[in-house]
């Protein structure tokens, strides 16, 4: 499978015609995701708001194991009305997180913090997944770790650690962390 960086770089340089041709010839995950992205009208690698036209190809890419498609489809199903199948959402987001997608890792971490979508509240797992995402530069991972320390969830309550993690998230551009840091330093 291609590296995660490849998904961001190659797709932006590939035309819709080339995506469709690749899909017609290879029927692989990369081609399916490329077509889905174009059909959604998004130039972004991570896109939400799939419509009737792009959702079938997004599903196909996810089924074929494309980790970003798995994350995006899970988020589409989570925000759909009615809510998508929680078992499918959980399976998709876990597969994406296990493939190293930081958005999915943060989601798994958050859902372990909150118990959403049938995830067991497990603060050690929340810490593990948020730390993985942070190590890839995801500000929300650091923000969530700050919250674990601020509230003493699975770790001793430690305001200095909380501030340190909020600062890390803030440096990465996380506005929520900036607000929490300001609140704690007053």
């Amino acid at each position: 499978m291609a590296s995660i960086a490849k998904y961001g770089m190659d797709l932006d340089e590939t035309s819709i015609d080339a995506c469709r041709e690749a899909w017609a010839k290879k029927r692989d995950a990369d081609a399916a995701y490329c077509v889905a992205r174009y059909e959604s009208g998004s130039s972004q690698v991570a896109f939400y708001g799939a419509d009737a036209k792009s959702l079938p190809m997004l599903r196909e890419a996810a089924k074929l194991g494309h980790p970003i498609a798995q994350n995006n489809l899970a988020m589409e199903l989570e925000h759909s009305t009615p809510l998508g199948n929680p078992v499918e959402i959980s399976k998709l987001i876990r597969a994406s997180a296990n493939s190293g997608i930081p958005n999915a890792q943060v989601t798994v971490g958050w859902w372990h913090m909150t118990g959403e979508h049938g995830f067991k509240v497990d603060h050690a797992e929340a810490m593990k997944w948020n730390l993985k995402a942070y190590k890839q530069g995801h500000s929300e991972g650091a923000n969530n770790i700050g919250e674990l320390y601020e509230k003493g969830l699975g770790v001793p309550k430690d305001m200095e650690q909380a501030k340190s993690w909020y600062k890390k998230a803030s440096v990465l551009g996380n506005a929520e962390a900036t607000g929490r840091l300001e609140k704690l330093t007053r």
Side-chain angles (χ1 to χ4, degrees), residues 90-164:
S90 175
K91 181 180 174 185
L92 286 164
I93 206 68
R94 285 179 194 275
S96 182
N98 285 325
S99 293
I101 304 301
N103 288 0
Q105 292 170 337
V106 162
T107 300
V108 169
W110 182 254
W111 290 352
H112 273 300
M113 287 173 71
T114 64
E116 293 176 51
H117 300 289
F119 277 63
K120 178 182 158 203
V121 172
D122 183 334
H123 296 118
E125 281 294 299
M127 177 67 82
K128 176 181 102 174
W129 286 105
N130 281 298
L131 189 56
K132 284 182 180 202
Y134 166 71
K135 286 179 178 179
Q136 293 190 70
H138 201 296
S139 70
E140 200 171 333
N143 184 62
N144 292 346
I145 293 170
E147 186 171 335
L148 290 169
Y149 278 108
E150 182 181 0
K151 295 180 178 177
L153 302 173
V155 293
K157 191 173 187 174
D158 185 333
M159 290 307 161
E160 291 308 310
Q161 279 285 354
K163 286 188 243 182
S164 173

Side-chain angles (χ1 to χ4, degrees), residues 69-97:
Q70 291 167 333
N71 176 76
N72 292 357
L73 182 57
M75 295 297 96
E76 289 292 340
L77 296 173
E78 181 197 21
H79 295 102
S80 66
T81 305
L83 176 68
N85 178 336
V87 173
E88 181 182 14
I89 293 169
S90 175
K91 181 180 174 185
L92 286 164
I93 206 68
R94 285 179 194 275
S96 182

